[in-house]
Amino acid sequence: MNLAKNYALTYNPIDVVEEIFRAKAYELERRSEHEIVIEVQGKWNDLLLFFNWEENMHCLHMSCLMDIKTSIEDRSKIFELMALANEELWLGHFSYWAEEHMPVFKHSVILSADDEFVLENKIAQMIEIAVKECERMYPAFNAVLTQGISPKMALFPASMTIGQA
């Protein structure tokens, strides 16, 4: 059963992303017609935003890379932390870029021809959500990835001391 309408977009969302960030003088790299990378200064460190446009699916995908490298071999703590963090999210999710050993926040949106006039707002919302979630979770990811702290302790430090003398 195919319920989706077949339509052609008259715009490229990557052009809109580029316009948004060029207007604010951000450093960016337009890698292709369908991909752009932007460096954004976050509260804890710089974040890299990757936008990809999948034309056939009409899907704009964004990945927000947190530059936290790890040398910890046991990735079970990282995946436990992501699972705990993702339980609280309504939009997007945290993932782990194994090749670079870094956490990533990902979010996608399917666009229609009608979205052309609200696209800038949709992109701004995607960016706001990604930056907010990465800044909220940075201390926890940093503690787990660089110090080997347990995910629950990194997320809920106050709850670990309740009832202890």
Side-chain angles (χ1 to χ4, degrees), residues 37-51:
V37 180
I38 303 104
E39 186 173 339
V40 175
Q41 185 174 355
K43 180 178 179 180
W44 306 102
N45 71 351
D46 290 341
L47 304 169
L48 284 179
L49 297 172
F50 294 83
F51 285 87

Side-chain angles (χ1 to χ4, degrees), residues 85-93 107 129 133:
N86 286 336
E87 285 179 359
E88 303 299 319
L89 295 175
W90 280 61
L91 295 170
H93 68 278
H107 181 46
I129 290 166
E133 292 301 332

Side-chain angles (χ1 to χ4, degrees), residues 11-23 30 36 60 111 115-116 118-124 127:
Y11 60 90
N12 179 345
I14 298 299
D15 293 338
V16 177
V17 173
E18 184 173 18
E19 289 172 20
I20 290 169
F21 284 100
R22 280 212 191 278
R30 180 78 181 249
I36 192 166
L60 180 63
L111 300 171
D115 290 324
E116 181 174 8
V118 296
L119 184 58
E120 190 171 329
N121 286 337
K122 282 191 174 199
I123 293 169
I127 295 163

Side-chain angles (χ1 to χ4, degrees), residues 66 76-89 94 132-145 147-162:
M66 289 188 281
S76 64
K77 288 183 179 182
I78 298 162
F79 294 119
E80 180 184 350
L81 177 60
M82 285 187 303
L84 292 168
N86 286 336
E87 285 179 359
E88 303 299 319
L89 295 175
F94 284 100
K132 178 182 163 194
E133 292 301 332
C134 286
E135 288 182 348
R136 180 179 71 87
M137 289 301 301
Y138 183 91
F141 274 109
N142 189 52
V144 171
L145 291 170
Q147 301 165 28
I149 293 175
S150 80
K152 287 182 181 174
M153 184 65 169
L155 279 176
F156 315 111
S159 68
M160 294 297 154
T161 59
I162 294 173

